[in-house]
Amino acid sequence: MTRRRSGRRRRIETRTAASARAAPYLVRKIPVTNLLDPEAAVVIEDNADRILDEIGMEFRGDPETLEIFRTAGARVDGERVRFDPGWCRDRIRSAPRSFVQHARNPERAIRVGGDAMVFCPSFGPPFVHDLERGRRYATIEDFRDLTRMHHQIRSLHHSGGVVCEPVDLPVPVRHLHMTHAHLALNDKPFMGAVTSAERARDSIEMCRLAMGAEFVDRNCVLYSVVNTNAPLVLDRTMLLALKEYARAGQCTVVSPFVLGGAMSPVTVAATLAQVLAEVMASVSLIQLIRPGAPSVFGTFFSPLSLQTGSPTFGSPEGIQFQMCARTLADRLGLPFHSVGALTASKVPDAEAGFEGQSQLMGAVLAGVHFIIHATGCLEGLLTMGYEKTVMDADRCGAMARFIEGVDISPRAQALDAFQEVGPGEHFLGSRHTLENFEQAFWRSELSDNGTFEQWSAEGEKWHHARAQEAVRRLLREYEPPPMDEAIRESLDEYVARRSREITRPGES
């Protein structure tokens, strides 16, 4: 049994070693599940137009934005902006239907939109959890460790953004250290800071140091998520960050953060109209600032429990919402961004597994182009789980195989195998099986498919314990991606200088 088991481990390690050669993003070969017929889509769109025309949306704290809208023909009253039906859609036509986000490593560039699909880690938790130390406030070392893990996990295509909030660092300089980690410890694409215009500019400037100013000025290298304050508000912080990225030609995802029943009405249809209205108004601003700037239709929708007041995850309404919103994004001509393996569970248990897989499968069926929170979420996005990260990544690997569709090539039809085996025999030793068994079926790197006796002899390890071993192995075997020493020094110097300027203004 030991030899058999060690052979399995060697095969897993061989597949893991191939991670550097893994495709930088997935190509979908199966249809999208669509719950909106054309007549229903028109109803939602008409309702969104009425919301923007009759109620409008507020853009707070920035007179320049209001003047941009006024000059372009929108109706501005104080901070409330109203739009004639079709006005926003006309401006959005200049946005690309798909685009490339470049990485420091050119081989890691991703495509957003079209038939591409991208898995990205969770975003924003102030806490982290692992089986050894439990739940605790996150630190910059947690951030770096998670970024090291994400670099190695081949089913993840993106380094993410605030993969955890490093609360041991002062708030004004956190973004510098997080951006530094994304650039130095991982060579996949990543997200820029959106918590102020200044922090957005720092993100852009650090990319200019790492990838070259001319390259950054001509290409999309940052993918940044701006949340509206539902219902129908874009606040000054998010607004100013949006404008920085738009002017720089970088990607901005407009993603209304909606808890259904509190921040939108209690029905999917009404929430779809509200979210569409918020996205259209905000993306039209991006296109007024810089026509052709990459813009993405984003959603975060979780029904609120009307009994407890808490968000729910893995719900049928959340999955229905994604399948409808993808259709609206297509009709608007924008790539679609939404959520993956969300859970309310506090630990990587069965609840975390079934809620996360339910939402992830829904996102895959819906055809979400960029799936954020694909790995790591615990406690409704309050906690980033180490073990949950590798558990979810394993399921992302399964989903990657799922969207490849069914192979109907002559090899897959295997008529020669029927000729060889004949009635009443088995195919285990057939030539077709021997030639194809390595790639025949997707195999989990975490699940235990052995016998009960094998499992008992090897310590009766539950799934989360095997995930813990995988986390330790990833951190132990991590090797940083190569970086020119001059680039690293320039990033170090930038972080040090900007930290001094931010914490002691006027002294530098």
Side-chain angles (χ1 to χ4, degrees), residues 135-280:
R135 179 183 184 268
R136 62 192 187 282
Y137 278 108
T139 66
I140 188 59
E141 197 52 40
D142 287 307
F143 188 100
R144 290 167 180 155
D145 277 345
L146 288 163
T147 302
R148 292 177 179 112
M149 289 170 58
H150 298 153
H151 172 67
Q152 298 173 85
I153 295 174
R154 68 176 181 273
S155 58
L156 280 174
H157 312 105
H158 209 269
S159 189
V162 184
V163 295
C164 65
E165 191 74 48
V167 299
D168 57 329
L169 295 179
V171 171
V173 300
R174 285 179 191 171
H175 67 289
L176 298 170
H177 296 272
M178 291 189 284
T179 302
H180 188 284
H182 281 305
L183 285 167
L185 303 179
N186 196 326
D187 62 0
K188 298 176 183 180
F190 71 102
M191 296 181 178
V194 294
T195 48
S196 77
E198 181 182 47
R199 294 168 195 173
R201 288 194 294 270
D202 282 332
S203 299
I204 296 166
E205 187 58 34
M206 291 178 73
C207 286
R208 287 164 62 92
L209 292 174
M211 304 181 202
E214 184 177 353
F215 184 85
V216 171
D217 291 345
R218 294 183 177 182
N219 295 279
C220 173
V221 301
L222 286 166
Y223 182 100
S224 303
V225 181
V226 166
N227 297 123
T228 63
N229 288 357
L232 300 167
V233 172
L234 188 58
D235 67 26
R236 175 179 170 81
T237 297
M238 294 284 110
L239 178 54
L240 295 184
L242 176 149
K243 290 170 65 178
E244 288 294 331
Y245 288 121
R247 290 187 179 111
Q250 301 304 310
C251 169
T252 304
V253 182
V254 177
S255 183
F257 186 97
V258 178
L259 299 179
M263 302 163 74
S264 74
V266 295
T267 61
V268 170
T271 303
L272 284 166
Q274 175 187 315
V275 166
L276 177 59
E278 294 180 14
V279 169
M280 287 198 300

Side-chain angles (χ1 to χ4, degrees), residues 68-91:
I68 290 172
F69 278 129
R70 183 182 291 108
T71 301
R75 305 181 338 254
V76 180
D77 181 12
E79 294 186 320
R80 184 81 61 92
V81 184
R82 294 178 175 87
F83 308 89
D84 294 338
W87 189 95
C88 292
R89 198 174 292 272
D90 287 343
R91 273 72 190 168

